[in-house]
Amino acid sequence: MLWWLPSIEYPPSQEGFWAPVTSTLNWCEEDYYATTYAAEIVNTVTNLLFIYLAYKGIISCRNHGHDTIFLITFVGYFLVGSGSFLFHTTLKYPMQLVDELSMIYTTCLMCYATFSYSRSRLYAFSLALGLVSLSIFITLYYHYLQDPAFHQNAYALLTIVVVFRSVYVMEVSLRSSLSKREDEHKLQRRRSMTADEREISRSEGSRDAEILKSMWWMIGCGLSIFLGGFAIWNLDNEYCSTLRMWRREIGLPWGVLLEGHGWWHLMTGIGAYFYITWGIWLRHCLNGRQEEYTLMWPRRFSSLPEIVRSGKPTRAWKGLDLKKGQ
């Protein structure tokens, strides 16, 4: 198979620095074949993307004044990447818990951000208490069962709830809010308008449509990448023995391209970053601050979106300068 590619043979697995393995999971990548200091080298290194994107998100939140809940979420995102890095390096059960449970906690943070918006303090406090209780229950019950399927189902359910709730808020609350705000602005402009204001008036309808269109693009890209990673991860689990045989036939470095769990890290890391960034953009738009913030996404398929402060004051009649993707 692909005999014409220059390659080197896979070295045999060896006794690792962190041996023995105590985790309840051991993925398809062979253990300690590249170095004695990392049990699964590809699964370890691919978590660096998580850590980088978390750092990028934290800096963006600090520089552009995004809501604190998103800063905390990016910190949780950083813990997911760091925990996974340590887990795949050591294959130790405590590091497995750090990896998997931080995924639950970070998703609960996004759940709080999604469901607590514009609610009373009592509701927000009750929601926070409920999510903390849920996190404690999942932690204790998972530690008792030690069944990875329970964690995977809990994480999937939480993620589905958060995504569908966010889409509902975007389509029901944001779309109706933009429409209502536009009607109010039109009534105000009918009284007296300068030539510049008339020009801006003609652009406002397309402005609101462009906001929602950009959000749907973010959802589509983020969800496609995330689900693509999930599909590759499942194939990696299902056909592990075949993939291991193919890797050894191809040799290094080409065999690492068949490490499905590594692709899962890369693709879910990007997909999660898309989701958090979309959440930031949605929150600013719900707050009527579209002119203060701009979506920077220069290329749809080869760049990452970021919400930045545009420096423009919010005005009732002024249009949005949305940076469109190419």
Side-chain angles (χ1 to χ4, degrees):
M1 179 184 289
L2 302 179
W3 54 268
W4 45 271
L5 288 174
S7 63
I8 59 175
E9 291 186 3
Y10 266 77
S13 296
Q14 52 193 315
E15 184 70 16
F17 179 82
W18 306 103
V21 172
T22 61
S23 63
T24 62
L25 289 169
N26 196 345
W27 303 106
C28 189
E29 183 177 7
E30 296 181 46
D31 298 347
Y32 295 109
Y33 66 90
T35 172
T36 59
Y37 296 102
E40 298 173 341
I41 187 64
V42 174
N43 291 346
T44 297
V45 171
T46 47
N47 281 293
L48 293 177
L49 180 65
F50 261 96
I51 295 172
Y52 164 73
L53 292 179
Y55 172 79
K56 176 181 173 67
I58 291 170
I59 296 301
S60 180
C61 287
R62 290 177 59 87
N63 289 344
H64 301 292
H66 304 318
D67 287 2
T68 303
I69 187 63
F70 296 107
L71 173 62
I72 298 173
T73 300
F74 272 119
V75 171
Y77 182 82
F78 177 84
L79 292 176
V80 171
S82 301
S84 186
F85 184 97
L86 294 173
F87 167 45
H88 290 288
T89 297
T90 65
L91 289 181
K92 293 294 187 181
Y93 180 67
M95 295 300 102
Q96 178 184 345
L97 292 181
V98 173
D99 174 19
E100 296 180 323
L101 293 176
S102 60
M103 295 167 63
I104 298 292
Y105 304 154
T106 302
T107 308
C108 284
L109 286 171
M110 285 305 298
C111 190
Y112 177 82
T114 302
F115 282 90
S116 66
Y117 176 75
S118 75
R119 299 302 185 105
S120 67
R121 289 187 176 181
L122 178 60
Y123 180 93
F125 176 78
S126 301
L127 176 63
L129 187 62
L131 289 172
V132 169
S133 300
L134 177 63
S135 298
I136 293 173
F137 167 75
I138 291 175
T139 299
L140 296 177
Y141 195 59
Y142 180 48
H143 180 59
Y144 168 74
L145 285 181
Q146 296 192 9
D147 182 3
F150 171 74
H151 164 265
Q152 292 161 10
N153 290 332
Y155 174 69
L157 181 60
L158 281 170
T159 301
I160 291 170
V161 169
V162 171
V163 171
F164 273 88
R165 171 63 180 178
S166 298
V167 171
Y168 173 83
V169 170
M170 183 185 73
E171 278 299 306
V172 175
S173 300
L174 180 60
R175 189 181 291 274
S176 62
S177 175
L178 291 175
S179 178
K180 181 180 179 181
R181 195 177 301 136
E182 176 67 13
D183 291 340
E184 291 174 352
H185 295 170
K186 286 179 179 178
L187 289 174
Q188 294 174 5
R189 290 193 299 268
R190 284 173 186 167
R191 298 171 185 173
S192 61
M193 294 177 63
T194 65
D196 288 341
E197 289 173 337
R198 282 194 294 271
E199 179 63 28
I200 291 172
S201 176
R202 284 192 289 268
S203 69
E204 285 184 338
S206 60
R207 176 204 66 180
D208 294 345
E210 192 63 40
I211 289 173
L212 291 167
K213 180 181 177 181
S214 69
M215 288 186 177
W216 274 113
W217 264 102
M218 293 177 73
I219 294 170
C221 289
L223 198 58
S224 297
I225 294 170
F226 188 95
L227 293 177
F230 180 74
I232 292 173
W233 174 60
N234 277 278
L235 290 173
D236 190 63
N237 292 334
E238 185 70 22
Y239 300 103
C240 179
S241 58
T242 301
L243 289 170
R244 284 187 173 184
M245 179 183 67
W246 286 354
R247 288 181 207 137
R248 289 199 166 271
E249 288 181 1
I250 296 172
L252 291 170
W254 315 108
V256 301
L257 298 176
L258 296 178
E259 296 288 356
H261 198 80
W263 284 108
W264 157 254
H265 288 163
L266 297 176
M267 298 174 77
T268 54
I270 294 172
Y273 174 86
F274 265 85
Y275 175 73
I276 300 172
T277 304
W278 167 49
I280 294 171
W281 186 218
L282 178 60
R283 176 66 64 89
H284 285 314
C285 290
L286 287 170
N287 288 334
R289 304 179 69 185
Q290 301 96 316
E291 295 181 22
E292 294 181 46
Y293 290 91
T294 300
L295 170 63
M296 297 297 295
W297 193 8
R299 295 174 303 279
R300 296 291 193 208
F301 301 108
S302 59
S303 67
L304 293 171
E306 183 180 7
I307 310 303
V308 301
R309 192 187 295 274
S310 63
K312 297 179 181 179
T314 300
R315 298 180 183 177
W317 53 269
K318 191 165 183 172
L320 174 69
D321 180 20
L322 181 68
K323 301 297 183 183
K324 294 177 62 177
Q326 302 298 319

